[in-house]
Amino acid sequence: PIKIPEDLPARPILEGENIFVMTEGRANRQDIRPLEIAIVNLMPTKIATETQLLRLLGNTPLQVNVTLLRAEGHESKNTAPQHLERFYKTFSQVRDSSFDGMIITGAVEQLAFEEVDYWDELVGIMDYAKKHVHATLYNVGARKRVCTIITAPEVRLPRKLSGIFSHTINDPTNQLFRGFDDVFHAPHSRHTEVRGEDIAKIPTLEILAESDEAGVLVAGTLDGRSMFITGILEYDRDTLDAEVSAGCGQGMEIAPPAHYYPGDDATRPPLVSWRAHAFVLFQLV
């Protein structure tokens, strides 16, 4: 099970989906050494992201303790301060701890590095992870990490890449993809990319999974301690649809996500075709 606070909003949702969660009180009575996982949640929709990631982490036979982290130098516009104070810690509160794994997720791609008000803090967290975290997953914000650490250029796309795309695995023997099909689907929702040909020039990185349409999905360091995902496998059924509605509500002209609505008919509810592989990947990471 995954250990979470009893009053976390994600709890009733996950329990309703038969995801095995355990409250802190019950977990503290267990005589077991759990995995310690930190989630640096920089997404604007924090509660939705918590639920999505906890859903995937909860589908494991191991007990998992999760520590939610937020940027101390950033004021969230979409999450109540009470929620952040109750369920989140800051990096300064955990910097003397160590974790088995860390997930860093965030949406900063349309801003220059100097425009991100928590960028220096994030760089500090990433440097900390090199010594205090066994393995780190850079989710969504991976492109910024790739660009700053290994000098691969970030390229702005002529139009937003959004939809569900088919991918293949470059090395089927890699343990991260144990149980995967030859072809699998994953959601993408981004304005930029790091091109495969630029990653291929970097001797410390390898491309693990990619798409003819969407480009690189997963890249990782040769030592297995860092992995970068450019897609968003934790997305719910209606997340891309909600992004379209939000953009239209702001007066933006947004094309429907590719391969998302049955028959490309936006009046029909989308079908989930990526969740099973998302569960497998997050178990094996």
Side-chain angles (χ1 to χ4, degrees):
I2 186 168
K3 189 187 84 170
I4 58 177
E6 188 166 355
D7 52 342
L8 188 73
R11 180 189 173 193
I13 299 173
L14 297 175
E15 289 180 334
E17 298 175 5
N18 291 322
I19 301 295
F20 189 8
V21 298
M22 181 181 291
T23 61
E24 290 176 327
R26 181 180 176 188
N28 290 337
R29 296 193 294 270
Q30 305 290 313
D31 185 16
I32 189 172
R33 194 291 202 188
L35 284 177
E36 297 289 343
I37 305 294
I39 298 178
V40 183
N41 187 0
L42 305 174
M43 294 292 281
T45 53
K46 286 186 169 45
I47 294 177
T49 302
E50 294 159 16
T51 305
Q52 292 166 354
L53 290 175
L54 293 175
R55 176 186 294 119
L56 298 177
L57 293 173
N59 192 41
T60 169
L62 301 175
Q63 182 170 314
V64 181
N65 287 352
V66 172
T67 300
L68 295 172
L69 297 176
R70 60 181 175 88
E72 196 166 10
H74 176 72
E75 182 179 348
S76 177
K77 299 178 181 178
N78 301 286
T79 306
Q82 297 87 340
H83 181 86
L84 297 176
E85 289 296 326
R86 170 67 181 88
F87 299 113
Y88 280 75
K89 294 183 178 180
T90 61
F91 175 52
S92 61
Q93 293 175 298
V94 302
R95 64 188 318 146
D96 294 328
S97 304
S98 295
F99 294 94
D100 297 297
M102 176 178 284
I103 299 172
I104 299 178
T105 185
V108 298
E109 63 172 350
Q110 295 196 74
L111 298 175
F113 300 134
E114 61 272 14
E115 294 180 275
V116 182
D117 56 10
Y118 53 81
W119 184 251
D120 289 342
E121 183 179 358
L122 179 56
V123 170
I125 292 173
M126 294 188 292
D127 289 339
Y128 155 90
K130 295 177 184 177
K131 296 181 179 180
H132 298 275
V133 180
H134 178 70
T136 303
L137 171 63
Y138 299 92
N139 202 24
V140 184
R143 295 178 297 282
K144 291 293 186 190
R145 170 64 171 178
V146 171
C147 292
T148 55
I149 300 302
I150 57 177
T151 66
E154 182 182 42
V155 180
R156 186 167 184 85
L157 298 169
R159 58 181 291 180
K160 182 178 182 179
L161 179 73
S162 176
I164 311 300
F165 299 94
S166 296
H167 301 76
T168 55
I169 301 165
N170 291 338
D171 180 9
T173 65
N174 191 300
Q175 65 175 357
L176 290 174
F177 301 98
R178 195 166 60 241
F180 267 57
D181 295 324
D182 292 336
V183 176
F184 67 98
H185 296 134
H188 286 262
S189 179
R190 50 186 168 86
H191 295 269
T192 62
E193 69 173 343
V194 176
R195 292 173 176 163
E197 55 265 34
D198 293 320
I199 295 177
K201 298 175 184 177
I202 302 165
T204 57
L205 274 187
E206 58 181 334
I207 299 172
L208 302 174
E210 56 189 328
S211 164
D212 290 339
E213 283 189 88
V216 176
L217 173 69
V218 184
T221 55
L222 297 179
D223 62 8
R225 292 196 60 188
S226 296
M227 189 169 75
F228 316 104
I229 298 182
T230 66
I232 318 174
L233 281 87
E234 69 270 18
Y235 261 12
D236 292 324
R237 179 192 309 273
D238 59 352
T239 306
L240 287 175
D241 184 71
E243 289 182 354
V244 172
S245 298
C248 292
Q250 297 171 6
M252 300 168 59
E253 185 177 343
I254 299 179
H259 318 302
Y260 179 55
Y261 302 108
D264 290 329
D265 182 353
T267 65
R268 301 173 63 185
L271 300 175
V272 176
S273 61
W274 61 91
R275 184 169 293 169
H277 287 93
F279 275 127
V280 174
L281 183 65
F282 272 74
Q283 281 189 52
L284 298 177
V285 168

